[in-house]
């Protein structure tokens, strides 16, 4: 581990402590921290951003999108409580960094990216880095990935205006989802959605966050609203 990487891990540990009253977690699981150490964030950004790869901040990845700050990646990964047997869905592949972190911790990662160029470059990158338990799909993740459902965990890395019902439906009993909910480019809250063993759904707000928007087609944006009428 180089100096910059060590600094990144120390910063995550510190911020985990500072935010414990919101998250209920003083420290993240050592397996999560191990994955944050093993995966080289520098391989997921390009050009001048490589020099900033181990800073605890989001960075541009092209197409107006960003790779989340390392602390947020660790937090979201920690909150869904995965095991080595978990099958996980990510919405918003971006650079593939969050998917790579998950790949170290679970059996299989499915990830969906709306922007075809980002999906393709993430697919190439993850393949060349040798992560074999990740499948990248190009398209909208708003409706989840029905053929591969249900999932032990879902991580949504773009902000939605509401919790898509199809994603809740694709959680196994006992599974968890993290998703930023709120106004595009403004204030959002990271929501933790837990489906109980009996199927009841419990939703908690964890903290204020800022994510790029989950892009929804008009029919997607109206689907759930129509359902709740
Ligand atoms: N998890 C990524 C960062 C994600 S940024 C990483 O580790 O690098 C959010 C991503 O969500 C962007 O790449 C954006 O294009 C994508 N996105 C936005 N709306 C989407 C949708 N409806 N379905 C799938 N991906 C979407």
């Amino acid at each position: 581990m180089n100096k910059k990487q060590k600094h990144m891990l120390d910063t995550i540990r510190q911020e985990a402590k500072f935010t414990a009253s919101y998250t209920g977690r003083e420290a993240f699981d050592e397996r999560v921290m191990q994955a944050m150490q093993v995966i080289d964030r520098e391989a997921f950004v390009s050009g001048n951003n490589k020099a900033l790869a181990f800073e605890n901040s989001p960075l541009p990845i092209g197409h107006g999108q960003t790779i989340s700050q390392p602390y947020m990646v660790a937090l979201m990964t920690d909150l869904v409580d995965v095991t080595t047997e978990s099958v996980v869905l990510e919405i918003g592949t971006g650079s593939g960094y969050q998917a790579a972190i998950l790949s170290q911790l679970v059996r299989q990662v499915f990830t969906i990216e709306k922007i075809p160029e980002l999906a393709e470059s993430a697919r190439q990158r993850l393949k060349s880095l040798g992560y074999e338990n990740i499948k990248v799909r190009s398209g909208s993740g708003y409706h989840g990935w029905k053929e591969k459902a249900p999932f032990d965990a879902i991580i949504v890395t773009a902000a939605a205006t509401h919790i898509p019902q199809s994603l809740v439906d694709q959680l196994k009993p006992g599974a968890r989802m993290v998703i930023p909910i709120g106004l595009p480019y403004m204030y959002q809250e990271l929501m933790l959605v837990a489906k109980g063993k009996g199927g009841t759904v419990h939703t908690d707000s964890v903290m204020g966050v800022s994510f790029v928007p989950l892009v929804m087609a008009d029919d997607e944006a109206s689907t759930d609203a129509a359902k709740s009428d």
Side-chain angles (χ1 to χ4, degrees):
M1 182 170 33
N2 67 36
K3 242 173 116 177
K4 284 181 179 174
Q5 253 175 317
K6 185 176 179 307
H7 178 70
M8 182 184 101
L9 290 170
D10 288 345
T11 308
I12 295 172
R13 286 204 176 88
Q14 223 171 37
E15 200 163 338
K17 260 192 207 151
F18 288 151
T19 53
S21 63
Y22 298 102
T23 63
R25 298 186 176 196
E26 275 283 332
F28 300 146
D29 192 300
E30 262 318 303
R31 286 184 71 229
V32 173
M33 295 306 289
Q34 187 68 29
M36 297 297 296
Q37 181 181 325
V38 168
I39 303 297
D40 180 9
R41 194 166 181 256
E42 202 176 315
F44 294 82
V45 292
S46 50
N48 293 340
N49 292 314
K50 283 198 184 285
L52 305 171
F54 300 111
E55 297 291 319
N56 190 28
S57 55
L59 291 171
I61 53 170
H63 302 271
Q65 307 303 322
T66 52
I67 179 172
S68 307
Q69 65 172 138
Y71 160 78
M72 191 50 60
V73 173
L75 172 66
M76 290 172 92
T77 309
D78 197 75
L79 285 175
V80 290
D81 287 341
V82 289
T83 72
T84 50
E85 281 311 302
S86 297
V87 177
V88 180
L89 175 67
E90 180 197 19
I91 312 294
T93 316
S95 67
Y97 180 68
Q98 170 77 73
I101 297 288
L102 284 167
S103 79
Q104 303 299 294
L105 301 167
V106 306
R107 182 151 62 83
Q108 181 74 50
V109 182
F110 294 102
T111 178
I112 311 179
E113 170 55 51
K114 178 116 178 166
I115 300 175
E117 292 86 351
L118 284 178
E120 188 48 36
S121 60
R123 192 181 286 126
Q124 299 284 337
R125 177 180 292 124
L126 292 165
K127 191 176 167 205
S128 72
L129 292 170
Y131 304 123
E132 305 218 316
N133 58 345
I134 306 173
K135 283 218 162 36
V136 182
R137 183 167 114 178
S138 174
S140 173
Y142 181 84
H143 291 295
W145 193 330
K146 251 195 186 132
E147 300 75 20
K148 307 294 182 190
F151 302 100
D152 298 289
I154 300 179
I155 293 185
V156 184
T157 65
T161 53
H162 59 271
I163 299 173
Q165 186 57 41
S166 16
L167 297 184
V168 176
D169 292 344
Q170 290 177 26
L171 289 170
K172 281 184 196 168
R176 294 172 152 233
M177 166 163 71
V178 279
I179 178 169
I181 297 291
L183 300 174
Y185 297 111
M186 293 179 73
Y187 181 78
Q188 301 129 29
E189 285 180 41
L190 185 65
M191 306 300 286
L192 177 61
V193 179
K195 192 180 264 190
K197 295 276 180 213
T200 47
V201 176
H202 188 85
T203 303
D204 261 330
S205 165
V206 181
M207 64 166 77
V209 290
S210 177
F211 278 80
V212 296
L214 183 81
V215 177
M216 290 186 268
D218 288 347
D219 59 328
E220 291 174 338
S222 58
T223 316
D224 292 334
K227 262 187 201 158
S228 62
D229 278 348

